[in-house]
Amino acid sequence: MKISWKTLLLLSLPIVVAGFFLWQGLLEPATQAISTNIANSRMTYGRFLEYLNMGWIKKVDLYDNAHTAIVEAVGPELGNRVQKIKVELPVNALELITKLRESRVDIDAHPSKSSGAIWSLVGNLLFPLLLLGGLVLLLRRSGTSSSGSGQAMSFGKSRALFQMEAQTGIVFDDVAGVEEAKEEFQEVVTFLKQPEAFTAVGARIPKGVLLLGPPGTGKTLLAKAIAGEASVPFFSISGSEFVEMFVGVGASRVRDLFKKAKENAPCIVFIDEIDAVGRQRGTGIGGGNDEREQTLNQLLTEMDGFEGNTGIIVIAATNRPDVLDSALLRPGRFDRQVIVNVPDFNGRKAILRVHAKNKKISSSVSLEVIARRTPGFSGADLANLLNEAAILTARRHKDSISMEEIDISIDRVVAGMQGTPLLDSKSKRLIAYHEVGHAVVGTLLENHDPVQKVTLIPRGQARGLTWFMPSEDKNLISRAQIISQITSALGGRAAEQIVFGEPEVTTGAGNDLQQVTSLARQMVTRFGMSTIGPLSLENEERSPFLGRNINTGSKYSDQVAIDIDYQVYNIVDRCYKTALQIIKDNRILIDRLVDILVEEETIDGLHFRNIVAEYTCIPNKPNYVSQLSASE
Ligand code: ADP
Ligand code: MG
Ligand code: ZN
């Protein structure tokens, strides 16, 4: 870019004018206050924003109505020690203050003091000169910059916003429970190690792999493991870091990232949360997002720009595959997709084994039992669980983690923080009857998971809890099992109704009823488990990773809708009758269990079953088959 002096003059004019106005008493106090404070290091506002994003800013002292700031920063670029640096702030700093608050930076404002004459003179001359000097510098920089995107100030140039690890030190053995993904990636490792083998026969090496899966399932870990196995550098950036306040910054970051990657090929470029940039373009409500679209376009351009054999493999991760722009998924971009799911029982066991390696765990602990108790846990949850247990063990001054600490940690992860139990009162007894209702119905029904414990110690939202031991991963559940589940979920309300009477039933069953209705409805509309027949009338309610509903619209007639409602009602009604019957028939047992529960607050599964066995004619054998599960 060539700049004539005419342009320079033209450009500098408004700044000089602005400087003149500012000079009218606005800046001198600051100059005075600051110059007594620090040496002469300063940085641009753009640089400052970058430091802020990196979390390197520790404290900000605002001077002169927030036109100038002294910041305390620490970071690798500053030699890892705290430095005081002066920053000129743009006139409107309100936005900045909000941002500082969000980043939890210590802010302090200093009132203006009247200034000495000399300082004011120096300040007056200094400011316009500095601005001019800065402008010249800027123009010279943009003249040499390869980007040429015409960015104002230095925002366009990013420094070290991506991380680079020369060696991740992570290998495939550190990632467990995702065998298919590992197999898929074994190939990628070979591409990186011996590209010649593929190029010799004319194979095009894939450029991009997209990792899809819920949070905490080990996507980042897998990407690092690939780099580790192939011993290549690992560049990583998060999609959200691309999206910035200023249009064009993201695009220039993408350029920088790939420039660095090319210099270090072969290597892995990992883009986390790619959905932040890779969203379907032009779909934003109220207009698209220019910045994001520019960034995405740049990313696509970069990926198209390098040939398959440059040795860069881009791995991106997301848990929102549904929102990705289809251009990302075209051949030559992220044409390979690997799904990483929440681990199953064996996967959990393997992950636990990996994370138990560096912990002192008592020999009485069975990882298999933990794996059984934790269906639905992701790899990160399991890692966190063992860590919580280790912390608890240390706090208790024990030398190895026992099952007790692990149990406590699982409860905390599953149901939230423990609260304080109620004092003995009518409502405590009511909760006790409710929980014992669930537990007794669950125990006496065929096809139901065994009770693990019943407790009156509140956790999270729940005031009492009945835990059932999940017997295996619930991939295939029979009709009889669902019916039993519905019946035991109704056991709480049934007990309230029988013991305290219709007018006394509480809102405590709200959650149970929600679960019951949803199960019954799914039986009818998804699993073909009603007299409507084997039809799939509604799609899966929740999309795999989102945890939100996708409105698919109904594809059936109004008559069928009425049928569905009737069937759902019928299932729930009959299950409720079974639950009421079980409670009535076992009133003495239930009263006894409630007395124990109110006294001890927790009854574990074995103790519970022993008491049940004392009162029921066929010990340890379920006596009830829900009316529905027999035939229909
Ligand atoms: P994601 O990127 O999918 O959100 P991460 O890779 O960041 O998940 O996982 C977070 C942490 O959880 C990892 O550092 C690791 O300790 C643990 N973890 C997750 N999945 C696994 C796994 N499959 N095997 C071993 N550890 C795992
Ligand atoms: Mg991650
Ligand atoms: Zn309940």
Side-chain angles (χ1 to χ4, degrees):
M1 192 151 103
K2 246 166 76 186
I3 303 277
S4 70
W5 277 102
K6 240 192 249 163
T7 335
L8 190 68
L9 214 69
L10 220 73
L11 279 169
S12 57
L13 200 65
I15 298 186
V16 174
V17 173
F20 184 77
F21 279 117
L22 284 169
W23 153 54
Q24 298 299 330
L26 276 175
L27 206 87
E28 340 58 310
T31 323
Q32 183 233 12
I34 292 162
S35 49
T36 55
N37 240 328
I38 51 148
N40 35 19
S41 55
R42 50 172 62 233
M43 67 165 126
T44 62
Y45 183 57
R47 198 86 192 271
F48 165 66
L49 285 180
E50 278 172 15
Y51 275 43
L52 186 60
N53 278 339
M54 301 295 292
W56 291 351
I57 304 291
K58 299 298 164 215
K59 184 164 192 281
V60 175
D61 283 285
L62 293 171
Y63 290 90
D64 185 40
N65 294 326
H67 284 96
T68 321
I70 303 290
V71 303
E72 282 180 22
V74 63
E77 283 186 20
L78 302 170
N80 278 325
R81 60 199 172 83
V82 180
Q83 297 210 4
K84 285 194 174 181
I85 304 169
K86 181 180 170 183
V87 185
E88 307 283 356
L89 304 178
V91 182
N92 180 7
L94 253 181
E95 250 181 42
L96 174 71
I97 291 179
T98 330
K99 205 169 145 92
L100 286 171
R101 281 243 186 81
E102 275 166 12
S103 318
R104 305 241 161 72
V105 174
D106 194 2
I107 319 172
D108 199 358
H110 299 266
S112 310
K113 290 182 209 133
S114 63
S115 58
I118 295 173
W119 283 120
S120 97
L121 190 70
V122 171
N124 292 345
L125 288 176
L126 209 62
F127 185 60
L129 278 178
L130 269 172
L131 275 175
L132 258 176
L135 191 73
V136 171
L137 256 168
L138 244 170
L139 288 175
R140 281 179 51 185
R141 263 187 59 182
S142 66
T144 53
S145 149
S146 60
S147 73
S149 62
Q151 274 305 299
M153 311 308 219
S154 58
F155 301 137
K157 213 49 186 165
S158 67
R159 245 162 252 96
L161 266 160
F162 44 85
Q163 280 89 47
M164 182 197 157
E165 286 176 54
Q167 277 296 326
T168 60
I170 289 171
V171 291
F172 279 152
D173 279 347
D174 296 327
V175 194
V178 282
E179 299 314 316
E180 298 89 351
K182 269 165 43 178
E183 255 164 51
E184 186 87 28
F185 281 139
Q186 197 60 56
E187 205 178 51
V188 175
V189 171
T190 324
F191 287 146
L192 286 165
K193 277 182 149 168
Q194 313 154 325
E196 323 81 50
F198 295 89
T199 45
V201 294
R204 188 178 56 84
I205 293 175
K207 293 175 187 172
V209 183
L210 189 60
L211 276 169
L212 308 173
T217 44
K219 299 183 293 297
T220 310
L221 196 67
L222 259 173
K224 283 192 176 174
I226 297 167
E229 288 277 338
S231 346
V232 298
F234 180 77
F235 289 86
S236 68
I237 188 161
S238 163
S240 56
E241 282 170 72
F242 281 137
V243 183
E244 270 286 336
M245 271 198 268
F246 303 100
V247 175
V249 178
S252 96
R253 285 198 180 137
V254 173
R255 261 194 309 272
D256 283 2
L257 173 64
F258 278 90
K259 195 165 145 241
K260 266 276 159 356
K262 275 177 202 153
E263 287 164 14
N264 289 282
C267 66
I268 295 278
V269 171
F270 179 64
I271 305 175
D272 210 352
E273 298 173 54
I274 195 168
D275 48 281
V277 275
R279 245 159 226 249
Q280 199 70 39
R281 283 167 293 184
T283 54
I285 294 165
N289 178 336
D290 270 349
E291 161 64 353
R292 215 186 51 221
E293 291 188 8
Q294 275 198 23
T295 310
L296 177 57
N297 288 338
Q298 188 63 39
L299 183 64
L300 296 176
T301 314
E302 291 289 347
M303 287 193 74
D304 290 341
F306 59 82
E307 290 308 312
N309 47 17
T310 44
I312 303 176
I313 292 186
V314 185
I315 300 177
T318 181
N319 50 3
R320 309 276 323 259
D322 57 318
V323 300
L324 288 187
D325 196 296
S326 50
L328 273 174
L329 308 176
R330 246 184 256 140
R333 289 160 182 172
F334 295 102
D335 44 0
R336 289 198 173 202
Q337 291 161 30
V338 175
I339 293 176
V340 190
N341 245 325
V342 174
D344 60 3
F345 169 68
N346 286 318
R348 290 196 299 274
K349 217 163 55 177
I351 293 171
L352 285 167
R353 222 174 286 131
V354 167
H355 288 279
K357 247 187 238 156
N358 57 0
K359 296 195 173 57
K360 271 226 178 88
I361 296 189
S362 144
S363 55
S364 65
V365 170
S366 152
L367 296 183
E368 187 160 333
V369 171
I370 307 176
R372 280 222 185 284
R373 277 204 59 196
T374 49
F377 274 46
S378 69
D381 291 335
L382 292 169
N384 184 30
L385 167 70
L386 287 186
N387 193 47
E388 286 274 324
I391 291 173
L392 192 59
T393 309
R395 233 193 286 140
R396 292 178 164 188
H397 306 291
K398 287 174 146 186
D399 51 10
S400 69
I401 304 170
S402 75
M403 206 59 204
E404 202 189 321
E405 284 85 34
I406 288 175
D407 271 335
I408 293 173
S409 307
I410 295 179
D411 290 357
R412 184 176 305 166
V413 175
V414 174
M417 289 298 281
Q418 186 171 315
T420 36
L422 292 168
L423 295 174
D424 194 359
S425 63
K426 188 180 168 201
S427 62
K428 184 171 186 175
R429 290 196 89 76
L430 188 130
I431 297 165
Y433 271 106
H434 180 106
E435 295 309 327
V436 168
H438 284 307
V440 166
V441 173
T443 306
L444 295 180
L445 274 177
E446 208 165 2
N447 300 311
H448 201 285
D449 296 335
V451 171
Q452 197 206 336
K453 72 176 171 198
V454 189
T455 175
L456 290 184
I457 298 172
R459 250 179 213 289
Q461 299 286 316
R463 294 167 308 159
L465 283 167
T466 304
W467 302 75
F468 290 101
M469 187 95 172
S471 44
E472 69 216 76
D473 280 277
K474 304 253 161 142
N475 287 327
L476 282 178
I477 312 173
S478 69
R479 182 172 188 276
Q481 280 171 315
I482 303 181
I483 290 289
S484 295
Q485 218 171 315
I486 293 177
T487 312
S488 80
L490 289 165
R493 165 54 66 84
E496 286 181 35
Q497 184 175 337
I498 300 238
V499 176
F500 296 89
E502 189 80 56
E504 297 289 313
V505 296
T506 67
T507 53
N511 251 337
D512 299 337
L513 300 187
Q514 218 169 20
Q515 200 187 334
V516 161
T517 315
S518 151
L519 277 173
R521 196 172 174 87
Q522 290 188 59
M523 283 178 71
V524 179
T525 60
R526 288 182 53 206
F527 306 129
M529 291 176 176
S530 75
T531 48
I532 290 183
L535 291 176
S536 173
L537 298 165
E538 271 164 19
N539 286 337
E540 194 168 5
E541 265 179 31
R542 319 175 103 219
S543 83
F545 312 126
L546 310 186
R548 72 176 163 86
N549 293 340
I550 289 179
N551 190 2
T552 45
S554 49
K555 301 179 215 82
Y556 41 76
S557 68
D558 291 351
Q559 181 54 48
V560 173
I562 294 169
D563 276 357
I564 292 174
D565 288 343
Y566 176 72
Q567 295 280 342
V568 172
Y569 165 79
N570 197 29
I571 291 172
V572 176
D573 185 54
R574 299 180 76 168
C575 288
Y576 192 49
K577 289 201 172 108
T578 312
L580 287 171
Q581 192 61 48
I582 298 176
I583 303 285
K584 270 188 214 147
D585 292 352
N586 297 279
R587 184 60 199 273
I588 299 168
L589 163 67
I590 290 171
D591 287 344
R592 166 90 195 282
L593 283 166
V594 164
D595 285 341
I596 299 174
L597 188 59
V598 168
E599 176 76 25
E600 295 179 7
E601 287 179 344
T602 300
I603 309 179
D604 72 43
L606 195 64
H607 188 193
F608 187 90
R609 274 185 293 280
N610 284 339
I611 302 169
V612 172
E614 282 173 32
Y615 285 82
T616 44
C617 35
I618 316 161
N620 287 328
K621 227 183 147 231
N623 329 34
Y624 290 87
V625 176
S626 193
Q627 296 175 24
L628 272 162
S629 35
S631 71
E632 174 92 8

